[in-house]
Amino acid sequence: MPLTTPPLDKATIGLATLFLTSGTTHLVRPQTFEGIVPHVLPRKRELVYVSGVAEIVCALGLLHPRTRKAAGLASAALLVGVFPANVQMTADHARRAQRRGDTGSKAFFAGTVARLPLQLPLIRTALRAAGRL
């Protein structure tokens, strides 16, 4: 039975677009992301660059039928791998919101909390692109 390539659907195009945008931003404005690299990790700028390149590679791989399956798996792994940065961002903004107490800080913190479960549909899309769902 021949293995078929999953189709390039709107969700996969959306994930690729998200990765291209974010990956480019990682490379052009790395300082934007350095603060969310978990504090225990060294060489934050280099990690931001590596994750940016990985996002761009995954995006391009998702768009091509010959690489879509591998890129889907790599994309899912990347999303899991960067999840600690999202948690770090939420923890940092929780402290900031508590310290400042202003509405803007609390709203931004709420946004970071709401963002965490959004990783699941992105991972699902990546696995679907890999033909795993």
Side-chain angles (χ1 to χ4, degrees), residues 40-128:
V40 298
L41 296 176
R43 305 181 67 150
K44 293 175 184 346
R45 174 73 52 112
E46 290 86 350
L47 289 171
V48 170
Y49 284 142
V50 168
S51 62
V53 169
E55 287 182 348
I56 292 169
V57 168
C58 285
L60 297 175
L62 288 168
L63 297 174
H64 196 283
R66 289 169 86 179
T67 55
R68 188 166 304 130
K69 287 183 180 185
L73 291 175
S75 296
L78 179 61
L79 288 163
V80 170
V82 300
F83 188 74
N86 295 331
V87 172
Q88 183 68 62
M89 180 173 56
T90 299
D92 290 345
H93 283 285
R95 284 190 290 278
R96 195 169 296 137
Q98 186 176 28
R99 191 172 54 247
R100 292 183 184 166
D102 62 277
T103 304
S105 295
K106 290 178 182 178
F108 196 85
F109 166 64
T112 66
V113 171
R115 180 179 179 212
L116 295 175
L118 293 177
Q119 293 289 108
L120 292 174
L122 295 175
I123 292 168
R124 193 176 318 119
T125 298
L127 292 174
R128 196 173 310 116

